[in-house]
Amino acid sequence: MAANVHESRLRDGYEITTDHARIDVTAVHGFLSLDSYWARNISRDAVERSMRHSICFAVLHDGGLAGFARVTSDRATFAYLGDVFVLPAHRGKGLAKWLMACIGKHPELQGLRRWMRATSDAHGLYAQSGFTPLKAADRWMEKHDPDVYAKADL
């Protein structure tokens, strides 16, 4: 198994890093659990586990979190892009597009056969990075529990 490659890229006072040690887990959890439509009420433990098992990309500004995304992948054939967000104070600056470009260039995510992404409101952003609607949706299945984070046993 290849060692994790940590990258940093700078632009206009912002930095994108994949160094887990520099990512504010409290800020990521705060946005996901309170402000996202896809992970509302997610526990901090679940966020920490998801980050530990993913390649995480943090957009930093003055050392604080401005945006985030994570990729869950076997680093050979498949990747799922999840938890993508830019905090409201930093929107409208092209950060999401830059974040997607950095993800696409990450050395551990090259040559993958398939990427997946689910979104209800940002199809245009992901289309710019090559995502398309499922071509054979009838072949895909899912096991989905939209209320999993509200259950007490997690």
Side-chain angles (χ1 to χ4, degrees), residues 12 27 38 44 66-67 86 88 96 121 141 154:
D12 300 329
W38 63 90
R44 182 178 170 110
V86 174
D121 62 353
M141 297 177 68
L154 292 179

Side-chain angles (χ1 to χ4, degrees), residues 15 19-20 27 33 44-45 49 52-53 60 67 80 83 95 105-106 113 122 133 141 147 149 154:
E15 177 183 7
D19 185 351
H20 280 231
S33 66
R44 182 178 170 110
D45 178 63
R49 283 185 289 132
R52 189 167 43 251
H53 297 290
L60 304 177
Y80 179 82
D83 294 337
L95 296 175
K105 292 176 184 173
H106 193 280
R113 181 169 185 243
M141 297 177 68
D147 300 320
Y149 304 132
L154 292 179

